[in-house]
Amino acid sequence: MVETITDRQYDGILRMIGMILEGCKDLDEAEKEIEEFRSGKKEKSEQQFQKRVDTAFFNAKPEDR
């Protein structure tokens, strides 16, 4: 079974990646951030990330939600 994502979901994923990478100084730091986030080592970062996602969602135009 092939699963597809909508343009809106794809845009949301890219926004989340952008939020994770925000503030990273270089590629190595960005890779480390993503790996720590994926492995669940950064509980605090997950909370901060969720806060950013919530903020981005509520600040988005209604048609972008």
Side-chain angles (χ1 to χ4, degrees):
M1 180 177 174
V2 175
E3 293 185 35
T4 58
I5 63 172
T6 65
D7 289 342
R8 190 171 126 206
Q9 291 169 319
Y10 184 72
D11 184 58
I13 291 168
L14 292 177
R15 285 182 187 188
M16 287 185 255
I17 292 169
M19 286 182 228
I20 292 171
L21 300 178
E22 214 172 71
C24 293
K25 297 174 188 165
D26 56 25
L27 183 59
D28 290 332
E29 185 178 346
E31 289 173 345
K32 182 180 175 188
E33 280 285 320
I34 291 172
E35 185 56 39
E36 287 177 353
F37 185 79
R38 289 184 69 215
S39 67
K41 293 179 182 176
K42 293 186 78 173
E43 190 172 314
K44 184 177 179 183
S45 286
E46 290 174 10
Q47 293 169 353
Q48 290 172 344
F49 176 71
Q50 186 60 49
K51 186 176 179 180
R52 288 180 186 172
V53 169
D54 292 343
T55 300
F57 177 79
F58 290 116
N59 289 337
K61 297 176 191 170
E63 61 270 11
D64 291 339
R65 291 186 192 165

